[in-house]
Amino acid sequence: MIQDDELLHRAIKPKPQFWNTKTDTVSSALFKDSKGVSVDRNSNRTNEEIKLCFLNDFPDLKGEARLNSKPCREKRCRVIADPIENNEHHALILGSEKIELTKSQAKFLSRNCIVVVY
Amino acid sequence: MTSIINYQRPLDKINFNSSNVTSSLIMCAMIATPSMPLSASENLESLTGTAYQAQDSSSSVNDYFSKQSTYYIELLHTLQEIQKLPDNWNDNDASQFSSELISEAKAFISNSIDIAQHLSVFPTANNSIQVEWELLNGLYCEAEIFEDSIEIYAEKNDEELIHESFNNIKESTDRFIGIYNS
């Protein structure tokens, strides 16, 4: 069970570009995935540990989007642990009924995440 | 060094009069070929050059005109980058984008050239291409372009205003621009 106050981290790769340079915000397209939005749980790790972990998997990573589980659930997204091979911290953000988020949910997450540039 | 970015700079709104709308439609017809996908070797600089050569340099409408076409070319360039994305581009099994979808997105952008300066285009792992704009007043609109439909979604201050599905590019772009001008 992922607690409401646990931070979630979504890797942002250099390509494709999800940063909207006209509004200086991240696009909701970052949170649209028919297989679920793949994130890593914080799992009481430091930000530096998470960054190193991401960079180990994706050396050219550009940054990450951080958001809390609570606002995701308040927007009726499901946040579930999904440990996979080589990543016990892996989790998914899913829509309330379908796997993919609604447009409203994706936009909400893009408005409420904090983008950290590496 | 890590920096945190959590600010927003929404856009100013510009209303379009009939003269520049007409001009940009003409320009749209001159430089866009919506039925054809962008080829990997398509030379965007030459497209820009064609656009500039077609102008009457004495008119302020043409200043507007060249500005819009420059933004339009940038959007085409982004679309070209999207077209190059391989299978599994998101490391989560997302598919490569089909030439049909790229053509549809190109047609949508061409029809929306009047507001090209406010548009941004992104791929999604829903096998769709997203075109979006956002205004200073918090009004946000996106078009999610799929192979068989186009979904227009608008919201203001997190409140959903419009969510409609279209099977016709002209109708969807009319709606997309209509929301902008509303």
Side-chain angles (χ1 to χ4, degrees):
Chain A
M1 174 71 180
I2 298 176
Q3 301 300 315
D4 278 350
D5 61 354
E6 182 159 3
L7 264 180
L8 305 171
H9 307 259
R10 178 150 172 84
I12 301 177
K13 291 156 194 159
K15 282 189 176 181
Q17 174 70 259
F18 284 110
W19 187 254
N20 187 332
T21 55
K22 294 179 179 163
T23 56
D24 282 338
T25 58
V26 70
S27 169
S28 65
L30 178 67
F31 296 100
K32 291 187 175 181
D33 192 326
S34 58
K35 295 182 175 63
V37 178
S38 178
V39 293
D40 272 14
R41 303 171 60 175
N42 183 279
S43 306
N44 290 320
R45 292 175 293 168
T46 66
N47 289 334
E48 196 59 28
E49 283 175 309
I50 288 161
K51 177 181 172 179
L52 290 173
C53 200
F54 271 150
L55 287 172
N56 187 48
D57 291 338
F58 310 106
D60 59 347
L61 209 64
K62 194 170 185 179
E64 62 171 277
R66 288 179 192 159
L67 62 163
N68 258 309
S69 303
K70 188 176 180 180
C72 297
R73 288 183 170 131
E74 286 174 346
K75 195 65 180 174
R76 298 201 296 171
C77 299
R78 290 174 287 157
V79 182
I80 59 167
D82 181 44
I84 55 176
E85 190 178 352
N86 300 327
N87 188 359
E88 61 180 313
H89 309 291
H90 187 255
L92 289 169
I93 305 174
L94 307 173
S96 52
E97 294 167 4
K98 294 180 178 179
I99 291 174
E100 66 265 30
L101 305 187
T102 64
K103 298 179 195 315
S104 171
Q105 288 170 329
K107 184 61 184 169
F108 178 85
L109 298 192
S110 73
R111 285 191 200 278
N112 287 277
C113 70
I114 292 175
V115 174
V116 180
V117 179
Y118 290 166
Chain B
M1 182 71 179
T2 295
S3 60
I4 295 178
I5 304 169
N6 61 352
Y7 61 90
Q8 294 193 350
R9 183 179 57 76
L11 302 165
D12 292 316
K13 180 175 179 178
I14 299 172
N15 282 313
F16 296 94
N17 60 39
S18 57
S19 64
N20 57 31
V21 167
T22 304
S23 301
S24 53
L25 284 174
I26 294 167
M27 179 58 93
C28 171
M30 291 171 64
I31 62 177
T33 51
S35 62
M36 297 291 290
L38 290 170
S39 72
S41 60
E42 191 166 359
N43 187 333
L44 292 166
E45 287 179 5
S46 69
L47 277 178
T48 314
T50 305
Y52 287 147
Q53 285 164 22
Q55 295 169 48
D56 173 355
S57 59
S58 64
S59 166
S60 62
V61 170
N62 285 328
D63 292 340
Y64 161 83
F65 202 17
S66 57
K67 201 172 183 180
Q68 288 303 104
S69 55
T70 302
Y71 288 115
Y72 172 71
I73 298 296
E74 284 175 11
L75 293 168
L76 290 188
H77 180 75
T78 305
L79 206 50
Q80 198 174 43
E81 293 298 313
I82 291 171
Q83 188 178 21
K84 289 178 190 169
L85 292 172
D87 276 332
N88 195 34
W89 55 267
N90 68 340
D91 292 309
N92 197 26
D93 293 332
S95 303
Q96 187 174 28
F97 294 97
S98 69
S99 56
E100 289 80 11
L101 180 56
I102 296 291
S103 293
E104 200 174 345
K106 187 179 177 187
F108 186 93
I109 290 168
S110 299
N111 283 0
S112 306
I113 193 171
D114 289 334
I115 57 171
Q117 72 184 101
H118 295 312
L119 300 184
S120 300
V121 58
F122 303 96
T124 88
N126 281 346
N127 202 19
S128 64
I129 293 174
Q130 180 166 314
V131 183
E132 64 183 50
W133 55 257
E134 187 161 8
L135 300 179
L136 255 181
N137 63 9
L139 182 61
Y140 165 80
C141 187
E142 69 180 42
E144 192 170 354
I145 303 165
F146 298 89
E147 274 192 31
D148 57 353
S149 66
I150 298 168
E151 295 182 5
I152 303 287
Y153 171 80
E155 67 169 47
K156 189 170 185 180
N157 303 325
D158 285 332
E159 189 177 327
E160 181 174 322
L161 301 175
I162 292 161
H163 190 180
E164 298 170 0
S165 185
F166 297 84
N167 295 313
N168 178 294
I169 287 180
K170 185 177 184 314
E171 286 175 10
S172 61
T173 48
D174 285 351
R175 188 67 167 133
F176 190 60
I177 295 171
I179 296 166
Y180 179 91
N181 285 326
S182 63

